[in-house]
Structure formats: structure tokens, C-alpha cells
Amino acid sequence: MAAVALFATTAFAQDDLVKQAKKLCDKGELEQAATTLTPALTSDQTEDKAEAWNLMGDIQYQLYMKGQQAEIDNKQNNTSTPYDTTAMHKAMVASLEAALKCDEYDCAPNEKGKVKIRFREANGKKFALSRPYVISAGLFAYNHGNVDEAIKAWRLYIDSAESPLFTGIDMTKDPYRADVCYYIGLAAYNQKDYATATKYATIAAEDSAKAQDAGEILLFAKRDGAKTKEDSLEYLAVVKDLHAKYPSESRYFNMLMDYYTKPGRQNELKAWTEEEIAKDPNNKMTWALKGEVEMNTGKWDDAVASYNKAAEIDPTFVQVVFNAGVCLYRKASELKDKLADKNTGKITVDNANKVKAILAEAKTYLEKSRELDPNRQSVDWAYTLYQIYYQLGDEAKTSEMEALLQKK
């Protein structure tokens, strides 16, 4: 009996808090009303949780409107009466959260197993119109450096549209949906929350006006959040899709280049360059990459041919001119080792002339590199050119290169 009496007393006490909060709210003492009501919201002893949460929603909404009115009055009267803007925006978020919680309890069966929804219609109509204020609350938080609060507000705005609270109300024609999802994605990406970034950027990408910008968030989220081989392949698929849709956007090509030039991906890089050349034979970078693959595998003539293609497209592309010269120099060195006597290391005159012919060809590329980049800002041609002059027996040029090398 004592336990039952205690339970009844506690229950009455919690319900009494709801009544007290209602009276305070009616008197305009909104902050005190919210404080009084808060314990009843989570107490197991509160008999009517839907009513309690509905009241909290009303209190928070009135707190928001109180701040709004102060803002309006200041603008109209050209005054600067202070009001708590942070509290105002937090109240808007809290009011919608309370309305959603109210609806959760409102549609729950009572002790007889029956459902009697009391607050949904009024709250649904109110927040169908006032939900955009939650966007403003998120923007306020973001502009004041509270990114987590901003994301919370914006997610509430988007996610609430799916709530049963808005049953019977068309929530599909939302002019803000794509923009808000984009900013959630962007903010979440910057917070390294790649799952949230991906979720909302995907929604934003459904809007054609936001598709490309949202696609980049998806792209970077997949890249930076990749943990497995499958994740990396998903990232690659997104980049390739964007590159196909926007071939003139060099950044997607550059991202693919960055992916394929990672160590251990030479075979993939080779296949990709061939695909790209088939689609666009006038891309100098693809020819340069193809040359790099061939150079790294010792296919000197193929590499020189690829570098020459790149130089045909852009005659000022000094890196490929230099690389072609280096390939020929290495080809000459390789041939010299092959033709030299295995015991004495000596080479016949005829064979030496074969090597010198390749070195002479390499010299033209290295001298062209020097002409294009005299200060060696992009490529350091001096040492290789010195070696070529030395092996060709050009003493004057060799001395010139020695002096140049000593300066640097």
C-alpha cells in the first residue's frame, strides 16, 4: 500500500509539473515554464507524455517568436534592444523536435489499445509553414562557428519531412531541400563525417542544379573515407563517371591521374591511358603518362614516341622533351653494356658508333630542354647533358657543363 501511495504521489507530482508549466506559459514566463516542464518529459510517472511534449513545443515556439518580434521591433524602430539570438534559434529547433516527440507519443495506443491522435493536425500545419526557420537556425549556428549545431538543425529540417507528423500534407514541393542537403554534405565532409556527407550529398545530387557540386562532395567523401579496396573502387567509379559527364573539367582527369599513378598501379595506368587516348588523342597529359609507363618498363622507343606525341600537342611541354632525351640516353647506356666485351669491357668502333648515334639523338632533346628551361626550374637537364657531351668527346661543351654544374 505504501508503494502504491508513493507511486501515485510521484505520478501526480509529475502531472502537476505539466499544469504548473502551462500556467507559467499562459503568464508569458516562458523560460521558467520550460525549466519546470523538463523533468516531466522523460519521467515514467508522467501519464500524458504527448500533452507534455506538445506543451514544450508551444513554449519553445513562443520563445522563438518572442525573439523574432524583438528583431522586427528593432528594425522598425531603428533601435538596438538586446535579445538572445542564440537562444531564439535554439528554441526553434527545440520546438520542432518537441512536436515530433509529441507525435510519437500521440499515435501510441492507450491503455485500452486504442489510438486517438489529438495534436498531429495542428502541429503538422504549424510546422509545415515554420520549418524553414530551422534552416535559419542552422545558418546562424554555422556563421557563429558551431558546425555541429548547424548540421543538427539542417538534418532535422530534412529528416522531419518524412515524419508522420505531416501526414496528409504534401512535403514533396520543397524549394530548399537540395540546397540544405548540399550544405549538410559540405559541412559534414569538413567535419570528416563521411557517412553523413555521402547520405545528404546523394540527395542533393538528385537536383540537376546541384548535381555537379554535390557530386564533388560524394567524390571527396568516398576518396577520404576509403578504408577498403571496395571503397577505393567505389571512389574510382564516381570519378570516372564525373569525367565522362564533364570531359572538359580537368580536375576529374587530374584525380584519375592521381589515382592511377599511385605505386603498384602501373598496369591499371597503362590500360587507362590507352582508353583516354582512344577517346581524346589530343590530350598531352595522357600521352605523357603513357610515356611514363613505357619509360618505367624500359621500353625506350615506345616512350620516346609517346613523349613526342605530347610535344607535338604542346611544343613547350619541357618535361616530355627532357624525358625523351633521358630515355635515349638510357637506351644508349643499355646498348653499350650489351655490346661491350664481357671480359674486357671494351667495345668495337662500329658498336661505339651505334651508341654515339643514339647519344647524338638524345643530345638534341636535352639541348631543346635547355632552350625551353634555361634556368632549370622545371627539369634539371645539366648533368645528363654533361654526360652526353663527355661520352661524345665534345670537350668544349663538357667543360661548359662542368662549370655550370659547379655553380648550382
Side-chain angles (χ1 to χ4, degrees):
M1 290 178 63
V4 171
L6 177 61
F7 176 84
T9 303
T10 306
F12 284 130
Q14 296 301 327
D15 289 333
D16 190 50
L17 291 178
V18 178
K19 292 177 183 178
Q20 290 177 37
K22 180 69 170 64
K23 290 178 181 179
L24 290 166
C25 181
D26 291 342
K27 292 192 291 183
E29 298 177 20
L30 301 173
E31 290 84 355
Q32 185 60 41
T35 302
T36 301
L37 180 59
T38 296
L41 298 174
T42 54
S43 172
D44 292 336
Q45 311 306 322
T46 303
E47 290 187 356
D48 194 340
K49 288 279 186 65
E51 181 186 28
W53 279 105
N54 183 64
L55 178 57
M56 180 58 83
D58 285 343
I59 292 169
Q60 295 294 341
Y61 192 77
Q62 288 186 53
L63 282 168
Y64 173 77
M65 294 307 296
K66 182 180 177 182
Q68 275 272 46
Q69 189 59 53
E71 187 177 287
I72 293 169
D73 290 344
N74 279 339
K75 288 180 180 178
Q76 289 181 343
N77 302 324
N78 197 27
T79 56
S80 56
T81 304
Y83 63 98
D84 192 337
T85 50
T86 300
M88 178 185 85
H89 289 294
K90 284 186 174 182
M92 185 62 230
V93 172
S95 67
L96 178 54
E97 288 177 326
L100 294 170
K101 201 70 178 175
C102 166
D103 194 69
E104 183 183 317
Y105 285 107
D106 201 17
C107 61
N110 59 22
E111 64 278 1
K112 295 181 180 179
K114 294 183 178 181
V115 175
K116 185 179 181 181
I117 299 175
R118 296 164 291 163
F119 305 107
R120 176 177 290 175
E121 184 177 359
N123 282 336
K125 288 179 180 179
K126 177 168 73 175
F127 287 99
L129 294 173
S130 59
R131 271 173 68 250
Y133 294 145
V134 176
I135 302 174
S136 300
L139 185 60
F140 177 86
Y142 187 86
N143 289 338
H144 287 78
N146 198 332
V147 180
D148 290 336
E149 283 293 319
I151 293 172
K152 174 188 171 184
W154 291 334
R155 289 188 66 170
L156 177 65
Y157 174 83
I158 295 298
D159 296 347
S160 63
E162 305 296 325
S163 170
L165 175 65
F166 301 109
T167 299
I169 300 172
D170 184 4
M171 302 295 286
T172 60
K173 297 173 182 178
D174 185 347
Y176 310 114
R177 185 170 185 263
D179 284 324
V180 175
C181 284
Y182 169 75
Y183 285 112
I184 295 172
L186 182 61
Y189 171 77
N190 289 332
Q191 295 293 88
K192 299 185 178 353
D193 182 356
Y194 302 124
T196 298
T198 298
K199 176 181 176 180
Y200 290 94
T202 300
I203 299 171
E206 294 170 2
D207 186 296
S208 58
K210 282 290 174 188
Q212 187 172 358
D213 290 338
E216 291 201 7
I217 295 174
L218 289 171
L219 181 62
F220 290 118
K222 285 185 180 296
R223 182 193 67 183
D224 297 346
K227 295 180 180 177
T228 65
K229 183 179 179 180
E230 289 72 22
D231 292 338
S232 295
L233 290 175
E234 282 185 20
Y235 160 72
L236 179 61
V238 173
V239 188
K240 292 184 85 168
D241 181 58
L242 287 168
H243 179 50
K245 287 180 179 176
Y246 311 103
S248 62
E249 289 282 357
S250 61
R251 52 189 157 174
Y252 302 131
F253 177 88
N254 292 338
M255 288 173 185
L256 287 171
M257 180 172 65
D258 180 65
Y259 177 87
Y260 285 116
T261 52
K262 290 284 191 300
R265 293 175 179 164
Q266 283 290 302
N267 291 334
E268 293 176 78
L269 176 60
K270 181 177 182 295
W272 178 64
T273 55
E274 290 171 355
E275 288 175 14
E276 287 297 307
I277 287 170
K279 290 188 291 186
D280 181 11
N282 294 314
N283 187 329
K284 66 178 183 179
M285 286 305 303
T286 312
W287 284 110
L289 288 169
K290 185 173 184 291
E292 184 180 324
V293 173
E294 292 158 343
M295 184 178 182
N296 289 338
T297 52
K299 296 178 179 178
W300 310 122
D301 291 336
D302 291 341
V304 171
S306 294
Y307 287 137
N308 281 339
K309 281 283 188 181
E312 285 174 17
I313 297 166
D314 181 2
T316 66
F317 196 173
V318 65
Q319 289 88 345
V320 295
V321 176
F322 172 75
N323 283 349
V326 171
C327 285
L328 289 167
Y329 174 73
R330 291 181 183 174
K331 178 184 176 182
S333 299
E334 200 174 83
L335 181 62
K336 182 180 178 181
D337 291 340
K338 181 180 179 181
L339 296 176
D341 185 277
K342 298 296 183 290
N343 296 318
T344 65
K346 292 183 178 180
I347 189 169
T348 66
V349 173
D350 286 343
N351 285 338
N353 287 334
K354 291 177 183 178
V355 173
K356 285 183 177 181
I358 300 172
L359 287 172
E361 189 181 358
K363 182 184 74 167
T364 62
Y365 285 95
L366 270 295
E367 288 177 339
K368 182 64 176 178
S369 300
R370 181 180 186 179
E371 179 186 324
L372 291 170
D373 186 19
N375 296 319
R376 292 181 281 170
Q377 293 179 332
S378 298
V379 293
D380 194 352
W381 42 261
Y383 183 74
T384 307
L385 193 53
Y386 160 77
Q387 290 285 351
I388 292 171
Y389 285 143
Y390 178 80
Q391 293 181 46
L392 287 173
D394 190 331
E395 294 181 4
K397 290 290 187 180
T398 301
S399 297
E400 180 190 347
M401 286 298 104
E402 282 180 342
L404 187 64
L405 287 167
Q406 287 172 1
K407 288 180 181 179
K408 191 160 184 176

